[in-house]
Every structure is written in structure tokens, then in C-alpha cells.
Amino acid sequence: MYNPYQLDHSKPTHKDYIDTTDFDQSEMLDMIKLSTTVRDYIKSGKTLSTLYHKNLAMIFEQKSTRTRVSFEVAMEQLGGHALNLAPGSIQLGAHETIGDTAQVLARMCDLIMARVNHHESVLELAARSSVPVINGMSDWNHPTQELGDIITIFDHLPEGKPLDKVKVVFVGDCTQVCGSLMMITSKMGMEFVQYAPPAKWLSDEYLKIGRANNQRYGGSVHVSDNPAVLEGADFIYTDVWYGLYDKETPKEVYMREFYPKYQVNAEMLAATGNEHVKFMHCLPANRGEEVTDDVLDGPHSIAWDQAENRLTAQRGLVLYFGGVAEETLDEIKKQKED
Ligand code: CP
């Protein structure tokens, strides 16, 4: 029987949250359960302080709105504190190696979150840190976005549809967000399709992970440039077409590849044949490029719920990897019974 106050795993199998491939489906479900139970509790006006006196160091090699604010607010709401170590504000990269930075931060803080330019950097941080490291996005994946996104998808599941029939279509470039969405939807046994020009399909390295998930959990993973794949989509998701990690290729090149065929607009939503289709975007969006205003601001859009669920996910992650998941759920249960 479902018990929101009990997790299958009392401890994560990995110290760090670098890649969801390190965790099985039931561990991811534990993170979802913890995140949503805490969300409901905090939304009911109650407070928690299970991270009292705990500090999260946040390293950013790039700009961020959602990741930065959600982690900072999550730590504050749970009784802890977050330090924003913005680009250029610490010695990292200039006078100090990532490994030395990791060792120093681990002596002073309880958790480290890092958004990095290269995935190797977050691996190096984790290897040299004695405290848990959370990957706040790299050029390979975006696992904190992944958790928030799957929570949003679960919040908006079509009624009565089994997970293996739920179709998620990512439209556009094979960004790390696209790769991450494929990894988490296939881990949940859903149908995932990337709709993009062949040159922008997910690489075999990603697809191998998705197909291994299909074998273990069901569902399917496909890539296609045929608009017929839009039919029956329950969720249409897109991300910016350029400028995220590839700073070399001019915008015009991307525009030529994606526009107008891969723009999410009213016509594309209609092509799904599903009047209840939901639209998702990790944000920030380039309005008028990968998505039109009327879609992003329209009735199908759940992009703002999705943004809010970054906070839902971060609270779950700092509690889970901060080692106080069980304690927090016990506290919620006790306060509810009182
Ligand atoms: N989606 C996302 O990671 O947003 P930020 O870059 O603002 O953190």
C-alpha cells in the first residue's frame, strides 16, 4: 500500500547526484515521493527545519535563474543556508583547481551543487569532495531539471492512461535537457520521441541508456524527423535551439535547421490530435523561435508549474542527499498526527 512517509531506500546508493543513470526506478520514485510530500506539507503553511545549520555551496560556471533561486529558497525553507558562488567570485579556475576547491568546500559545507561547463568538472568535484555533490547541469545532462520535469509530468498525467502509453515528444536540438528527459521518461517506462532533423538526433551514447531502460522498465525511445510522430503526444517539450553550450555556431545556422518546421506553435499542438496535450519548456525561452507566445502563455502550457517544480525537486534532493529524508518524513507524519 502507498505510504507517503516511507521510502524504499533509507539511503541513496550513491553519495552524489550526478546522473540519474546511477539510480534505479524505485530510488527515483523515492525522490519524487519525498519531494512531493514535502511540497504538500510546506504548501499547507507548515514549516520544517531538518536542515538546520546545514550549508549548501553553489558553484556556478554559468548564469542561472531557476537553479540558483530554487536551491537557495529550498535551503532557507528547510532551515539551512545556501552560498551563491557566482562565476568569478571564487578562486576556482583562476588560482585553484576544482579538486582543491572541492576539498575546501567539503570542510566547511554539508552539500555542494555545481553548474559546470564540462561534465568532467562535476565528476572531479564529486571525486575529491567528502560531502555529496549535486550536478546543477553540465554539457551532458541536467538531472535536477529531470526530477522537476518528471514530477510535473506526474502532476499532469492523462487520467487512467498507463505509463507505457504516455507519449512525451521532445521537439528540437539534442541538448542535455533533451538527453535528460529521455533518460527519466524511459526510466519510468514511458514512450519518448525526439522530433528533430537527423543531424540533431540524440547520439548513440544517450540512446543506449534509453534502450537499456526500455528493456528493464518497458516503454520506448525513438528519434524522427517525420511530423507523424507528433500524433497522440500527451506532452510536447522544447528547449532553445542555440547558444547553450555551442557558442561557436551562429544563430542563423540553427534557425535554418529548425525554423519553421520545429517551432512549437498552435499548428503543431493541433497536429498531436490531442486536445489535452501539455506544453513544457525548461526555460529560459527564446519566444518567437522554438515556441510562440500563444503556446507558452496559453492553456496547454504547464511551463510555469514546471518552473515551480524546480523548487519541489531541489527540496527533495537536498533532504535526500543531505541524509535526512527519513527524519523529515517522520517529522511530517508526527506533526500531521498531532
Ligand atoms: N532551466 C534552467 O536550468 O534554468 P536556469 O538556467 O535559469 O537555472
Side-chain angles (χ1 to χ4, degrees), residues 63-67 115 142 145 282-284 310:
K63 289 181 198 164
S64 164
T65 298
R66 280 141 288 268
T67 307
R115 168 169 290 192
H142 197 351
Q145 179 81 50
C282 54
L283 303 174
R310 299 298 308 282

Side-chain angles (χ1 to χ4, degrees), residues 183-216:
M183 291 194 251
I184 195 67
T185 51
S186 60
K187 183 150 283 171
M188 294 300 149
M190 296 174 172
E191 186 179 349
F192 172 88
V193 182
Q194 183 198 3
Y195 173 51
K200 299 295 180 182
W201 288 348
L202 287 167
S203 67
D204 285 345
E205 207 179 341
Y206 283 109
L207 294 176
K208 226 165 53 192
I209 294 168
R211 287 180 182 140
N213 282 340
N214 293 158
Q215 291 217 315
R216 190 163 174 195

Side-chain angles (χ1 to χ4, degrees), residues 13 27-29 33 60 77 85 105-107 122 140 143 151 154 172-173 208-209 211 222 232 243 261 288 290 301 327:
T13 49
E27 287 172 296
M28 293 310 302
L29 289 170
K33 186 195 279 186
F60 285 100
Q77 287 181 338
L85 309 177
L105 292 178
R107 294 291 182 106
V122 74
W140 165 251
I151 289 170
F154 280 10
D173 199 4
K208 226 165 53 192
I209 294 168
R211 287 180 182 140
H222 295 290
K261 182 175 173 185
E290 76 276 3
S301 176
E327 201 177 316

Side-chain angles (χ1 to χ4, degrees), residues 127-156:
R128 302 296 295 275
S129 166
S130 55
V131 302
V133 171
I134 296 172
N135 174 4
M137 189 168 90
S138 72
D139 55 348
W140 165 251
N141 63 347
H142 197 351
T144 65
Q145 179 81 50
E146 249 175 89
L147 183 61
D149 288 350
I150 198 66
I151 289 170
T152 308
I153 289 173
F154 280 10
D155 285 345
H156 291 276

Side-chain angles (χ1 to χ4, degrees), residues 49-211:
S49 53
T50 37
L51 286 175
Y52 181 62
H53 267 185
K54 302 279 183 198
N55 283 284
L56 167 75
M58 305 191 294
I59 297 174
F60 285 100
E61 290 187 341
Q62 300 163 15
K63 289 181 198 164
S64 164
T65 298
R66 280 141 288 268
T67 307
R68 179 197 158 175
V69 175
S70 55
F71 270 110
E72 200 164 325
V73 172
M75 286 303 290
E76 190 279 331
Q77 287 181 338
L78 298 167
H81 175 65
L83 295 86
N84 178 34
L85 309 177
S89 70
I90 54 172
Q91 303 284 10
L92 175 67
H95 301 294
E96 200 156 35
T97 66
I98 202 155
D100 290 350
T101 303
Q103 293 188 80
V104 172
L105 292 178
R107 294 291 182 106
M108 301 181 188
C109 298
D110 306 279
L111 287 160
I112 298 172
M113 188 282 300
R115 168 169 290 192
V116 296
N117 292 324
H118 305 290
H119 195 67
E120 293 70 24
S121 303
V122 74
L123 294 175
E124 173 75 5
L125 259 179
R128 302 296 295 275
S129 166
S130 55
V131 302
V133 171
I134 296 172
N135 174 4
M137 189 168 90
S138 72
D139 55 348
W140 165 251
N141 63 347
H142 197 351
T144 65
Q145 179 81 50
E146 249 175 89
L147 183 61
D149 288 350
I150 198 66
I151 289 170
T152 308
I153 289 173
F154 280 10
D155 285 345
H156 291 276
L157 279 178
E159 227 177 281
K161 204 169 192 179
L163 280 186
D164 64 346
K165 297 279 181 292
V166 173
K167 185 172 184 179
V168 180
V169 179
F170 183 94
V171 181
D173 199 4
C174 53
T175 57
Q176 67 291 89
V177 169
C178 172
S180 272
L181 186 70
M182 183 277 297
M183 291 194 251
I184 195 67
T185 51
S186 60
K187 183 150 283 171
M188 294 300 149
M190 296 174 172
E191 186 179 349
F192 172 88
V193 182
Q194 183 198 3
Y195 173 51
K200 299 295 180 182
W201 288 348
L202 287 167
S203 67
D204 285 345
E205 207 179 341
Y206 283 109
L207 294 176
K208 226 165 53 192
I209 294 168
R211 287 180 182 140

Side-chain angles (χ1 to χ4, degrees), residues 3-7 33 37 326 329-330 332-333 336-337:
N3 180 349
Y5 308 113
Q6 194 167 3
L7 303 180
K33 186 195 279 186
T37 303
E326 294 285 324
L329 292 177
D330 284 350
I332 292 176
K333 189 170 175 216
K336 284 202 144 188
E337 285 167 356

